[in-house]
Amino acid sequence: MKVFDNTTKKFFVASWVFINHTEVNNTRLTQLPISRSGWDILKPLRRWLDNVEVSDRQLAHRICQMIPAQCPFERDIKLFGKTLLHIPPMCKLNPLYEEVVSLRFRALCYLADECGEDISQYC
C-alpha cells in the first residue's frame, strides 16, 4: 500500500495579488469598537505574578509542587464503560490561570537551566 494512493490528486496554485495603492488610500477603513472595561480589578495581582523572579532553588521546588501540571478537577464519570458525564477543567475559569501557569513554567525553566536538575518528576 502506497501513501500516494490515499492522497488527493487535486492541486492548487497560490499566487500573490497586486493591489493598486491608490485604491487602498481612497477607501476608508473603519475599526470595530472594542468593548472593554476601563479598569481590571485583578491587574495588580497579574502584574505581581508576572514580576515574581524565581531565583531560589527551594522557591522553585515549592512552586512546582503547589501548582499542578494538569487540572485536577477534570473528570469523566463512567458507568459500565460508558461516559455518563464529563466535568470540564475548572482551571480555565480561574482569571489568573495564565499567570499561574507561566510562573510554574518559569520555575521549571530555572530548575532545569540554572540548577541543572531533572524536572521529570513535575511533568
Side-chain angles (χ1 to χ4, degrees):
M1 181 174 182
K2 295 181 181 177
V3 176
F4 184 73
D5 295 334
N6 296 324
T7 57
T8 59
K9 308 270 188 300
K10 296 180 182 177
F11 295 100
F12 67 93
V13 178
S15 65
W16 292 97
V17 177
F18 178 75
I19 299 174
N20 193 352
H21 291 290
T22 57
E23 292 176 10
V24 173
N25 291 338
N26 292 337
T27 60
R28 187 172 257 194
L29 299 176
T30 58
Q31 291 182 347
L32 296 174
I34 300 172
S35 61
R36 291 186 184 175
S37 61
W39 192 65
D40 183 14
I41 195 166
L42 296 174
K43 191 169 187 171
L45 191 55
R46 289 179 208 270
R47 192 176 305 135
W48 180 78
L49 283 173
D50 284 337
N51 291 331
V52 170
E53 288 188 30
V54 182
S55 59
D56 182 29
R57 179 177 288 181
Q58 289 180 341
L59 175 65
H61 279 290
R62 277 195 207 117
I63 289 172
C64 292
Q65 289 171 354
M66 288 187 335
I67 302 171
Q70 297 175 351
C71 187
F73 301 112
E74 183 176 21
R75 298 275 187 257
D76 284 330
I77 299 174
K78 296 183 178 185
L79 183 65
F80 302 117
K82 294 189 178 187
T83 303
L84 296 178
L85 181 66
H86 174 75
I87 301 173
M90 298 296 179
C91 297
K92 300 287 181 168
L93 299 177
N94 183 357
L96 300 172
Y97 176 76
E98 296 294 327
E99 288 78 10
V100 171
V101 169
S102 68
L103 177 63
R104 184 179 195 277
F105 181 72
R106 289 194 311 264
L108 286 171
C109 289
Y110 176 79
L111 288 174
D113 296 340
E114 302 294 325
C115 301
E117 293 189 19
D118 180 31
I119 58 169
S120 62
Q121 63 183 346
Y122 297 120
C123 296

